[in-house]
Amino acid sequence: MHEFWSAAIIGVSLGAQYALLALGFTLIFGILGVINFAHGGFYALGGYVAYSAVSGLGLPYPLAVLAAVLVTAALGYVYELFVIERFVDDHLATMMLTLGLYLMISTGLLAVFGPQSPEFSFPVKGSYSIGALRIAKENLVVLAVCGCAIGAIYWLIYRTDLGRALRALADDRQVATTQGMRPRLLFPLAFGLATGLAGLTGALVTPILALSPSAGDPVLVTSFLTVILGGLGSIAGATIAALIVGFIEAYASVYLGGSAGALVLFIMVLVILLARPTGLFGRQIRGA
């Protein structure tokens, strides 16, 4: 029974991590109509920025995480403003541009840091014991930070004027523009916010798992499947789907082996899409 509850705790922690990634992914699609294939690159970049801040600059880990968020958010803002914005209504062009950005990030990280994983460990060690149940402290810290970040995103989107403007653009860009919304200003903010979330997740998770230039590869696949499962463009769907994916991965790893989670997830996404092509909470894709 303790294995069951241990897997549940890991599942919640994984779900919170995937929720941050999926929220960023679905924000970009929901507001800009862009599928961001560079999302995994920003995840890896966030990990390397945090690592460099700790090992090179001697910053404490919380400040290193903040630096990772700021750098990835700034890069996303600038890339959207000067590159994506020019082709924002061309879905094929934006997919190629984000894929190209991912290749540039991963290749740049490989050139600067090399293929080997650097020594980058999470600063909080140990575990809590409740009977036979052991809870890793690092999982609790990641869960707490991710939970706060998710709460902050929901507050921003649903309780602020900026969030209302972003949702208006997502619902109907033409009508929102006639009401005074300015996509030229809001689109880079949305893109930067989303890439900052990816950077935050990378800075939190890569010290626990592994940091490498290709660390974003599985993240990109998992984020994409999570967003498809929840429904492209649905913030609530992305969050719920992320928790589902976290539990699938945790329980599949415990009871079926580490590689079974991806297979179970793929089968589940396939079955759901056959029954509901737009995902659990999705809407029709623009232009479809």
Side-chain angles (χ1 to χ4, degrees):
M1 181 60 69
H2 73 276
E3 288 185 348
F4 177 88
W5 290 111
S6 296
I9 294 170
I10 294 172
V12 172
S13 179
L14 287 173
Q17 299 166 29
Y18 293 151
L20 276 186
L21 291 166
L23 281 174
F25 202 103
T26 203
L27 274 175
I28 293 176
F29 177 82
I31 296 169
L32 282 76
V34 172
I35 297 177
N36 181 24
F37 285 109
H39 214 57
F42 285 102
Y43 168 89
L45 179 61
Y48 274 104
V49 171
Y51 163 73
S52 299
V54 170
S55 62
L57 301 178
L59 293 180
Y61 180 68
L63 290 181
V65 173
L66 178 60
V69 175
L70 295 177
V71 169
T72 51
L75 177 59
Y77 180 95
V78 171
Y79 194 73
E80 199 289 329
L81 181 62
F82 292 104
V83 181
I84 298 293
E85 184 66 26
R86 299 173 183 269
F87 306 93
V88 71
D89 292 318
D90 187 336
H91 299 305
L92 179 59
T94 54
M95 283 193 291
M96 296 302 296
L97 288 170
T98 56
L99 180 59
L101 178 59
Y102 175 68
L103 294 175
M104 286 190 290
I105 292 174
S106 58
T107 303
L109 292 175
L110 179 63
V112 173
F113 295 97
Q116 302 299 322
S117 298
E119 293 293 331
F120 186 31
S121 59
F122 202 78
V124 178
K125 300 292 184 182
S127 61
Y128 294 107
S129 298
I130 304 176
L133 179 64
R134 298 179 66 84
I135 306 173
K137 293 180 180 179
E138 57 191 23
N139 285 336
L140 293 179
V141 172
V142 171
L143 176 60
V145 176
C146 289
C148 291
I150 292 169
I153 291 299
Y154 270 82
W155 173 81
L156 175 67
I157 296 298
Y158 293 105
R159 292 290 185 268
T160 67
D161 291 338
L162 173 60
R164 282 186 280 272
L166 292 174
R167 284 188 288 120
L169 286 173
D171 290 337
D172 194 317
R173 187 186 307 175
Q174 185 174 0
V175 172
T177 302
T178 61
Q179 295 296 317
M181 310 301 177
R182 302 179 65 183
R184 178 74 174 173
L185 296 177
L186 294 174
F187 282 177
L189 287 175
F191 204 93
L193 175 63
T195 55
L197 291 177
L200 171 61
T201 312
L204 288 173
V205 176
T206 52
I208 300 174
L209 300 179
L211 180 59
S212 71
S214 60
D217 292 354
V219 166
L220 176 60
V221 174
T222 303
S223 298
F224 195 52
L225 289 177
T226 301
V227 172
I228 291 175
L229 179 63
L232 281 168
S234 172
I235 294 176
T239 307
I240 294 171
L243 292 174
I244 294 173
V245 170
F247 279 110
I248 289 174
E249 184 171 321
Y251 281 105
S253 298
V254 170
Y255 293 106
L256 300 177
S259 61
L263 177 60
V264 174
L265 174 60
F266 179 79
I267 293 174
M268 184 173 184
V269 170
L270 180 61
V271 171
I272 289 177
L273 289 181
L274 288 174
R276 185 175 172 80
T278 57
L280 295 175
F281 299 92
R283 53 182 173 80
Q284 190 70 16
I285 297 175
R286 284 181 195 152

